[in-house]
Amino acid sequence: MKKNIIIFALALLALPTATKAGVEEKENPSIVKVDNSVKEVIDSYVKATGGEAKMKAVRNMEMNMQAEIQGMMLDISSVVDRENQRLLNVTEMDGNVLSKTVLKDGAGKVTAMGQEQVFTEEQVEAVRNQVYAFRELYVDELGINVSYDGTAEVEGEQAYKLIFEAAGDGNTTEYYSVATGLKLQTESPSIGKVLYKDYREVDGLMMPMAMSITNSMLPMPMEAKVISILFNQDLDDTLFN
């Protein structure tokens, strides 16, 4: 069980941080039509989240979370640095580091349970997607193909489906609320289903304060609570050692 928890904690951290969703809204974006293009769906999402200018102004983001499953608590911290193309993910339990993922200078590695694995070139490319706090704004730069795949219901709410085809494990299906424009859910073969909820405004941007991960390998959904989010910090280079 502990091994499964570690695996899915890492999967949580591997999620594109652009997949932010919630039931609250900062403003009321125009409701898009069913035959809307990918661009219009993303534009609606960007407007609902806080606007392109504010989203692109995010050079780096630090997020601290706690996740619980079967009474066990995980402390998860993540730093994504678009400006310097760096990433750091650390998962701890009872003060002990279970895993640490680092990407910098075009190379990456993950250390878990005393063993270190250096990323392949393909893995580096996949993880590189994660240094962007709002991936939707950089799909062309990242070479991601996005296609529209109709509508579906997410927790009783109608949503538009966009399929993101990226490198390696970066492929996801994203669900955007028809009513609000915000993202409601992410699906990935490696993670399962991730639901975003309890949105609150952080420095003018709507950010999720809770996530729920459902996967057939887990006995129950893993619930994660966001403790803090900080934008544009002066990052110490030693963080990424």
Side-chain angles (χ1 to χ4, degrees):
M1 173 56 65
K2 181 179 289 188
K3 185 176 180 180
N4 282 348
I5 292 174
I6 295 172
I7 291 172
F8 280 93
L10 290 172
L12 171 64
L13 289 170
L15 276 175
T17 53
T19 56
K20 309 304 182 187
V23 296
E24 299 177 37
E25 57 184 89
K26 182 178 181 294
E27 53 184 316
N28 294 318
S30 299
I31 296 177
V32 294
K33 298 178 181 179
V34 172
D35 61 355
N36 221 29
S37 68
V38 168
K39 182 181 184 303
E40 288 171 311
V41 173
I42 290 179
D43 285 350
S44 183
Y45 157 72
V46 170
K47 183 178 180 182
T49 302
E52 182 175 349
K54 289 181 180 178
M55 294 165 79
K56 283 193 170 181
V58 175
R59 295 177 287 103
N60 61 62
M61 179 177 73
E62 177 184 340
M63 180 181 292
N64 295 292
M65 298 177 284
Q66 287 187 331
E68 179 178 4
I69 185 167
Q70 291 193 325
M72 289 179 280
M73 298 297 299
L74 298 173
D75 294 307
I76 304 169
S77 61
S78 174
V79 178
V80 293
D81 181 9
R82 172 178 59 85
E83 188 173 45
N84 297 293
Q85 295 289 292
R86 300 182 297 185
L87 173 146
L88 171 70
N89 293 326
V90 179
T91 302
E92 297 180 78
M93 183 164 62
D94 295 329
N96 299 311
V97 176
L98 300 180
S99 66
K100 181 178 180 179
T101 302
V102 176
L103 178 73
K104 69 172 183 177
D105 300 329
K109 63 182 179 180
V110 58
T111 305
M113 295 184 289
Q115 297 187 339
E116 181 177 289
Q117 178 185 344
V118 177
F119 288 162
T120 65
E121 195 171 308
E122 183 180 25
Q123 289 172 322
V124 168
E125 188 62 26
V127 175
R128 178 173 170 264
N129 290 325
Q130 314 314 320
V131 306
Y132 294 80
F134 301 100
R135 187 174 62 154
E136 280 86 347
L137 298 176
Y138 304 94
V139 291
D140 291 337
E141 178 179 331
L142 292 167
I144 298 173
N145 180 58
V146 186
S147 58
Y148 177 78
D149 193 36
T151 61
E153 188 174 292
V154 177
E155 298 289 302
E157 185 169 353
Q158 284 297 304
Y160 296 107
K161 293 173 62 178
L162 294 186
I163 297 175
F164 285 64
E165 295 178 270
D169 292 333
N171 295 346
T172 63
T173 300
E174 311 291 352
Y175 295 80
Y176 299 80
S177 169
V178 171
T180 69
L182 290 167
K183 202 175 293 184
L184 300 175
Q185 183 174 284
T186 294
E187 287 181 348
S188 164
S190 60
I191 301 169
K193 181 175 70 177
V194 182
L195 184 68
Y196 304 92
K197 48 193 176 180
D198 189 23
Y199 249 60
R200 302 176 193 175
E201 186 174 321
V202 180
D203 293 343
L205 293 168
M206 295 303 294
M207 304 295 291
M209 294 295 123
M211 306 176 196
S212 179
I213 299 177
T214 302
N215 190 288
S216 60
M217 293 181 65
L218 289 173
M220 63 184 66
M222 178 170 13
E223 305 294 336
K225 179 180 179 181
V226 176
I227 306 302
S228 65
I229 297 174
L230 298 171
F231 297 125
N232 298 334
Q233 300 296 293
D234 291 327
L235 301 175
D236 190 330
D237 290 343
T238 61
L239 279 175
F240 301 91
N241 289 340

